[in-house]
Amino acid sequence: DKGDYDYFMLKEIHEQPKTIEETFRGRLQNNYSEIVLGGLLNVFPKLEAARRIVIIGCGTSWHAGLIAEYLFEEYAQVSVEVEYASEFRYRKPVLSSQDVVILISQSGETADTLAALELAKSKGATAIGICNVVGSSLARETEAGVYTHAGVEIGVASTKAFTAQVTVLTMIALKLAKRKGTISGEDYKMLVKELAEVPEKGRAILADGEKIKNIAEKYQKAVNALYLGRGYLFPVALEGALKLKEISYIHAEGYAAGEMKHGPIALVDNNLPVVVVAPQDDYYEKVVSNIQEVKARKGNVIAIVTEGDKGVKELVNDSIEIPKSHPAVAPLLAVIPLQLMAYHIALLKGCNVDQPRNLAKSVTVE
Ligand code: F6R
């Protein structure tokens, strides 16, 4: 049931503040100061001792894994690799019982991800599943896991399942850091609080979502688009580009902003929209200079900025504000305007946003 919405995708984008709360429910305890993940109790000792964590997924789930790489390294001080399931399953990966593998899948039925799980298990690694569909193959065949509780996702382009995955991964990273003693008590509390504040901030972005329609109108005729971000927001740039290409059929590429000068800058001209995720974080100055490089070549910049930002705003063609947050939780907020922009552009182009051509919700064949 689409309720008040014309399309499932729009409904699911708007559900996110609520689904993120569902993902917390029962897991952020003691007045949102402690994380409890019952499904991982028996594997936390293995996570603590892990020589390495390998995160595996496809598409949007792989992007969630990339965000987790930053979180696990920064807070739990563990080495992480993020792999495409379709590549991993056919490589000769070096894995042992000292490794923990985390498999991410909304459906829990993606053939490549399930094959990667079998390979990891055959090498003796501990396998943890993060999935949305209760009772799915991934949930059944992993040793331990966490459900995302985002509710049924019908739009083929994943939205609320992604933010739920990132929420779960953030909780795992922080809990692991706490258990390992690699995070101070103060930082732990502060980050749990930041996470708990995401739904409210998400609501503020969605309440202002109409403005994105006007931006979509300006860029609906684009043939190509470039998405840039750094740090925690590099995977968000990849996800923004994937959303646009999946549902509007505009060719879009996501890039780490620092890589722009190593190739994609050649694409910049006055026809190219460049979406830059540029909130006020440690990378702000660097991202500002990336924006200047694009503007000097007459590119059109659409920036995602922190509420009240002036520096970026005066450089760019269009900007969308998001509330200030800690960088570690910023992906959960910054992705929302990118989902909405893809949605509005696809709608203006007359595309079927819920069922894009050539795509299936669950890829159960190779
Ligand atoms: C993107 C999208 C796909 C899926 C991918 C993995 O919007 O929907 O890229 O993310 O097919 O699917 P799951 O998570 O079910 O394994």
Side-chain angles (χ1 to χ4, degrees), residues 58-61 105-108 110 156-158 165 242-243 246 363:
C58 304
T60 289
S61 295
S105 174
Q106 187 287 129
S107 61
T110 300
V156 165
S158 186
Q165 289 165 343
L242 179 62
K243 289 291 89 103
E246 280 182 300
V363 186

Side-chain angles (χ1 to χ4, degrees), residues 156-297:
V156 165
S158 186
T159 54
K160 64 177 183 173
F162 172 74
T163 45
Q165 289 165 343
V166 175
T167 301
V168 163
L169 289 159
T170 307
M171 290 193 287
I172 299 175
L174 294 177
K175 182 72 184 181
L176 180 60
K178 175 96 181 304
R179 291 179 61 122
K180 288 180 75 172
T182 49
I183 191 171
S184 70
E186 213 174 298
D187 281 354
Y188 177 79
K189 272 204 186 128
M190 177 271 292
L191 285 163
V192 175
K193 185 164 167 279
E194 281 280 343
L195 190 58
E197 286 171 355
V198 163
E200 219 33 65
K201 292 176 183 174
R203 284 187 184 100
I205 297 171
L206 289 161
D208 213 21
E210 282 299 292
K211 195 187 154 203
I212 296 173
K213 235 191 234 172
N214 304 330
I215 300 178
E217 262 160 32
K218 281 167 75 173
Y219 299 104
Q220 57 170 309
K221 299 253 154 50
V223 191
N224 293 295
L226 185 60
Y227 285 68
L228 302 174
R230 280 182 186 251
Y232 284 100
L233 298 168
F234 159 48
V236 169
L238 297 180
E239 175 61 7
L242 179 62
K243 289 291 89 103
L244 187 71
K245 91 180 96 181
E246 280 182 300
I247 61 168
S248 76
Y249 316 137
I250 293 172
H251 171 243
E253 277 197 76
Y255 249 87
E259 272 292 300
M260 184 177 68
K261 58 183 167 301
H262 300 287
I265 197 163
L267 295 171
V268 178
D269 63 13
N270 61 1
N271 289 316
L272 185 77
V274 182
V275 179
V276 187
V277 194
Q280 287 164 356
D281 57 18
D282 291 348
Y283 295 106
Y284 184 72
E285 299 302 326
K286 299 219 178 284
V287 176
V288 167
S289 54
N290 293 136
I291 291 172
Q292 284 162 336
E293 285 156 13
V294 174
K295 288 309 302 174
R297 289 160 185 85

Side-chain angles (χ1 to χ4, degrees), residues 272-344:
L272 185 77
V274 182
V275 179
V276 187
V277 194
Q280 287 164 356
D281 57 18
D282 291 348
Y283 295 106
Y284 184 72
E285 299 302 326
K286 299 219 178 284
V287 176
V288 167
S289 54
N290 293 136
I291 291 172
Q292 284 162 336
E293 285 156 13
V294 174
K295 288 309 302 174
R297 289 160 185 85
K298 309 216 159 32
N300 299 299
V301 177
I302 305 128
I304 310 299
V305 300
T306 303
E307 217 162 49
D309 178 278
K310 298 222 164 55
V312 166
K313 250 192 207 164
E314 60 189 34
L315 290 174
V316 301
N317 304 65
D318 295 281
S319 59
I320 304 165
E321 292 193 342
I322 57 172
K324 189 159 185 56
S325 75
H326 190 280
V329 302
L332 291 164
L333 297 168
V335 75
I336 298 175
L338 303 188
Q339 295 166 339
L340 283 170
M341 202 158 64
Y343 169 83
H344 285 301

Side-chain angles (χ1 to χ4, degrees), residues 11-246:
K11 173 172 177 265
E12 289 162 2
I13 291 172
H14 278 265
E15 275 173 351
Q16 289 177 109
K18 175 128 186 308
T19 52
I20 293 172
E21 282 166 355
E22 289 297 322
T23 306
F24 294 158
R25 194 182 298 285
R27 294 168 172 162
L28 293 193
Q29 297 188 359
N30 285 341
N31 200 17
Y32 289 142
S33 68
E34 179 64 274
I35 298 167
V36 178
L37 295 166
L40 297 186
L41 273 182
N42 56 344
V43 292
F44 260 119
K46 282 191 176 150
L47 271 167
E48 281 167 58
R51 187 181 59 167
R52 186 171 63 130
I53 296 177
V54 181
I55 303 180
I56 299 173
C58 304
T60 289
S61 295
W62 182 75
H63 293 157
L66 287 178
I67 294 169
E69 179 174 25
Y70 290 79
L71 288 162
F72 279 93
E73 286 185 355
E74 179 165 1
Y75 296 105
Q77 290 175 22
V78 55
S79 159
V80 176
E81 274 173 56
V82 187
E83 306 280 357
Y84 284 123
S86 57
E87 283 296 310
F88 180 86
R89 67 179 289 193
Y90 292 118
R91 290 221 309 272
K92 307 284 174 281
V94 182
L95 272 180
S96 74
S97 57
Q98 289 172 298
D99 297 306
V100 174
V101 174
I102 300 180
L103 301 114
I104 309 173
S105 174
Q106 187 287 129
S107 61
E109 302 296 347
T110 300
D112 284 326
T113 308
L114 293 175
L117 165 64
E118 285 318 308
L119 177 60
K121 286 206 291 192
S122 75
K123 304 255 177 196
T126 300
I128 296 174
I130 296 179
C131 60
N132 195 42
V133 176
V134 175
S136 60
S137 302
L138 182 64
R140 283 185 276 113
E141 286 160 33
T142 39
E143 254 181 83
V146 184
Y147 281 121
T148 42
H149 294 319
V152 179
E153 187 178 67
I154 292 173
V156 165
S158 186
T159 54
K160 64 177 183 173
F162 172 74
T163 45
Q165 289 165 343
V166 175
T167 301
V168 163
L169 289 159
T170 307
M171 290 193 287
I172 299 175
L174 294 177
K175 182 72 184 181
L176 180 60
K178 175 96 181 304
R179 291 179 61 122
K180 288 180 75 172
T182 49
I183 191 171
S184 70
E186 213 174 298
D187 281 354
Y188 177 79
K189 272 204 186 128
M190 177 271 292
L191 285 163
V192 175
K193 185 164 167 279
E194 281 280 343
L195 190 58
E197 286 171 355
V198 163
E200 219 33 65
K201 292 176 183 174
R203 284 187 184 100
I205 297 171
L206 289 161
D208 213 21
E210 282 299 292
K211 195 187 154 203
I212 296 173
K213 235 191 234 172
N214 304 330
I215 300 178
E217 262 160 32
K218 281 167 75 173
Y219 299 104
Q220 57 170 309
K221 299 253 154 50
V223 191
N224 293 295
L226 185 60
Y227 285 68
L228 302 174
R230 280 182 186 251
Y232 284 100
L233 298 168
F234 159 48
V236 169
L238 297 180
E239 175 61 7
L242 179 62
K243 289 291 89 103
L244 187 71
K245 91 180 96 181
E246 280 182 300

